[in-house]
Amino acid sequence: MGGIDRGRHAGSFPAMHVLSGKARKAGVLGWPVSHSRSPRLHGYWLARHGIDGAYLPLPVRPERFEAAVRALADLGFAGANVTIPHKEAAFTLCDSVDAVAHRAGSVNTLIFAEDGTIRGTSTDGYGFVESLAEQAPGFAPAEGPAVILGAGGAVRSVAAALLDAGCPRLILVNRTIERAHALARDLGGAVEVTAEADLHGVVLLVNGTSLGMAGQPPLAIDLTPLPPHAVVADMVYVPLETPLLAAARARGLRGVDGLGMLLHQARPGFEAWFGAAPQVDAELRAFVAHDIPPDLRPSSGA
Ligand SMILES: NC(=O)c1ccc[n+]([C@@H]2O[C@H](COP(=O)([O-])OP(=O)(O)OC[C@H]3O[C@@H](n4cnc5c(N)ncnc54)[C@H](OP(=O)(O)O)[C@@H]3O)[C@@H](O)[C@H]2O)c1
């Protein structure tokens, strides 16, 4: 049995995290990966559940990605998360992917099955919809049209999840408009592409670009046309309260931050690898938010 050894032999050994030979292993593959909060997040749940397991940062160059994934499977890992720039490569190497990953054309969660096959799913969209339900209770994507700014990997998953959740009309706006058209084609259904966002009658506005992130230019958009019951969501979580969310709240609109999406997208992977259903609660939020530089998070630490 592994887990935290709180010093049964008090005085002889310091309290330490001890793994047994049967410990379950997972991690996050990215290049770079040092910015990832996933080890902190999964580490919290491992400790909370007293699980004999470990979750590691796994920096892997793009040209070594496939070899690294196969090696992890050989080494007895239960699976891995995948972040920039490997999400499309992960999709390609999976033996099977679920419907959401297929629609999104990208995978952020790998599960190494007992029969030696690699299964893939894309949980960013799931995390987004769960976070929406948590931070804007009572709101349903079926209520009306949504505008998504961006057409990158994360938007692919979020757009598919919103359509699955009943969004009746999805409007994509992206700097590179061909990328938005390609996504609309892949998604099928009630998806439109426009060069400029028209927010009249829109009930959900989502920023899925990197604009507004610390070190990036701000997102310039006038929220005035949004109806008073609209929800504004930002996938960016550094800073935690983006200028977009601050502008939405100043107008009395409900805001949904990107940290909630990050926390919720991790739940399916953790459950598949470590066998416990983890919860997102205020303590976890504060623990992960604590890793965001103090000047980029509200003083509450939330
Ligand atoms: N909260 C979470 O759990 C979570 C998870 C994943 C991602 N995210 C966030 O979601 C955002 C997108 O991530 P991603 O993985 O989808 O990245 P990505 O595939 O690189 O896509 C980036 C998107 O941002 C747009 N963009 C970048 N710079 C821009 C600029 N100067 N002006 C206008 N548009 C610009 C890109 O437009 P072009 O197509 O024209 O390049 C593209 O649509 C990032 O902010 C990321 O941090 C959050």
Side-chain angles (χ1 to χ4, degrees):
M1 181 65 190
I4 304 286
D5 187 331
R6 297 201 183 280
R8 250 185 321 135
H9 314 285
S12 7
F13 303 112
M16 54 184 134
H17 188 260
V18 179
L19 297 176
S20 81
K22 294 180 197 157
R24 296 189 64 79
K25 302 175 291 290
V28 55
L29 294 149
W31 187 259
V33 83
S34 54
H35 65 282
S36 174
R37 268 101 191 168
S38 291
R40 188 172 176 89
L41 166 52
H42 286 272
Y44 173 92
W45 280 331
L46 286 168
R48 191 84 194 264
H49 290 267
I51 288 173
D52 179 18
Y55 183 101
L56 304 168
L58 301 165
V60 177
R61 291 179 187 279
E63 63 275 19
R64 300 296 302 157
F65 178 70
E66 179 161 359
V69 171
R70 308 239 176 252
L72 289 181
D74 288 345
L75 288 165
F77 273 59
N81 280 127
V82 178
T83 187
I84 291 174
H86 303 311
K87 288 186 184 179
E88 276 99 53
F91 175 78
T92 309
L93 75 71
C94 283
D95 297 298
S96 64
V97 298
D98 66 7
V100 177
H102 191 263
R103 216 164 172 195
S106 93
V107 154
N108 76 340
T109 304
L110 297 170
I111 297 156
F112 304 149
E114 304 240 317
D115 63 3
T117 60
I118 300 177
R119 299 202 320 256
T121 182
S122 174
T123 64
D124 285 331
Y126 166 83
F128 180 85
V129 170
E130 288 287 297
S131 173
L132 199 56
E134 184 189 333
Q135 293 188 37
F139 174 81
E143 277 176 33
V147 165
I148 305 187
L149 311 174
V155 165
R156 284 189 156 261
S157 185
V158 167
L162 284 175
L163 290 172
D164 286 348
C167 173
R169 189 170 157 234
L170 191 56
I171 301 136
L172 301 175
V173 183
N174 194 44
R175 176 179 61 179
T176 310
I177 199 158
E178 301 77 30
R179 208 174 173 195
H181 280 298
L183 174 55
R185 275 195 302 276
D186 290 350
L187 289 168
V191 184
E192 298 160 31
V193 175
T194 62
E196 287 285 322
D198 177 2
L199 301 184
H200 290 95
V202 165
V203 300
L204 175 65
L205 171 67
V206 183
N207 176 34
T209 74
S210 39
L211 294 174
M213 192 189 290
Q216 298 288 321
L219 172 66
I221 187 161
D222 177 14
L223 302 181
T224 314
L226 284 174
H229 58 284
V231 172
V232 176
D234 209 328
M235 293 195 207
V236 171
Y237 60 90
V238 181
L240 200 46
E241 181 78 350
T242 60
L244 175 69
L245 291 181
R249 292 193 221 276
R251 253 214 62 198
L253 305 174
R254 286 174 290 175
V256 175
D257 64 44
L259 183 59
M261 172 179 168
L262 176 78
L263 303 179
H264 282 284
Q265 63 76 32
R267 286 169 45 212
F270 186 91
E271 186 164 3
W273 306 319
F274 299 114
Q279 295 304 308
V280 169
D281 58 20
E283 188 180 276
L284 172 71
R285 219 181 124 77
F287 181 72
V288 177
H290 194 71
D291 197 43
I292 297 172
D295 56 324
L296 296 174
R297 62 180 139 98
S299 53
S300 67

